[in-house]
Amino acid sequence: MATHEMAFTDHFDRFCDGLRSGGLLLVSLDAGGRPNVMTIGWAQLGVVWGRPICTVLVRPSRYTYGCMEATGDFTVCVPGEELSDDVVFCGTRSGRDYDKLAECGFTPTKSMHVKSPGIAQCEAIYECRIVQRNDVVPENLLPEIDQSAYASGDYHRVYFGEVLASYRME
């Protein structure tokens, strides 16, 4: 499988469509260097501080949270529709209990600029280095968002990842 570099905005429509229709796949490494995959449904892609930035949200209760903190980087992979069952699996199982790459038959790809791998079966991959992190502040949220998204009190950490490379897989 070959990679073809692209501008980080070239696959923007598919990036957004993936968020609306099942999710994207975030890959990070745990402290021991084992890759973990998590389905994400909330993310942003744009420009902050004059840099291409992919912003993702991860709850502290998730296994991925510790991976992100340990590694300091991540990849966001845009799956095609044929991977929809795998996207559901990665969003409903914990990396504490499953090797989700193996369970889904995903082939990890060596990244060019970060430690976390991509997934060869995905349409596009964004390699991101964490440049900032913030925690969601409950008292700054609209009450209806707080009530609908955080009933359990498990508030996200927001990771700002500078996009160091973006490419499509063919």
Side-chain angles (χ1 to χ4, degrees):
M1 190 153 296
T3 62
H4 298 280
E5 286 195 53
M6 63 180 190
F8 82 103
T9 54
D10 284 355
H11 224 63
F12 185 73
D13 288 346
R14 275 295 299 125
F15 183 96
C16 292
D17 288 346
L19 291 170
R20 286 190 290 264
S21 66
L24 305 178
L25 297 170
L26 183 147
V27 184
S28 56
L29 299 174
D30 68 14
R34 185 176 66 95
N36 179 62
V37 184
M38 180 179 101
T39 301
I40 58 171
W42 297 352
Q44 296 177 317
L45 190 61
V47 178
V48 182
W49 307 298
R51 300 167 187 241
I53 298 288
C54 180
T55 307
V56 297
L57 291 81
V58 179
R59 295 179 193 270
S61 62
R62 303 290 185 229
Y63 181 71
T64 299
Y65 179 89
C67 297
M68 300 277 282
E69 292 294 312
T71 306
D73 65 42
F74 59 93
T75 62
V76 173
C77 305
V78 180
E81 289 182 27
E82 71 281 1
L83 298 178
S84 62
D85 290 344
D86 296 315
V87 172
V88 169
F89 180 85
C90 291
T92 57
R93 305 297 192 286
S94 174
R96 291 180 188 97
D97 306 317
Y98 292 88
D99 178 345
K100 293 187 263 184
L101 279 171
E103 293 278 342
C104 294
F106 289 149
T107 305
T109 63
K110 183 167 175 43
S111 292
M112 294 182 274
H113 302 284
V114 300
K115 294 175 262 180
S116 298
I119 298 172
Q121 289 83 355
C122 287
E123 295 177 3
I125 298 171
Y126 299 84
E127 295 183 15
C128 303
R129 171 184 62 173
I130 297 171
V131 296
Q132 171 65 7
R133 61 196 92 205
N134 289 66
D135 293 327
V136 170
V137 179
E139 51 272 8
N140 292 342
L141 277 175
L142 288 174
E144 60 264 27
I145 294 174
D146 191 18
Q147 292 163 6
S148 67
Y150 299 105
S152 70
D154 193 12
Y155 293 90
H156 286 99
R157 174 158 287 173
V158 183
Y159 292 93
F160 294 80
E162 180 179 9
V163 180
L164 300 177
S166 53
Y167 40 92
R168 58 184 202 284
M169 304 300 291
E170 294 180 356

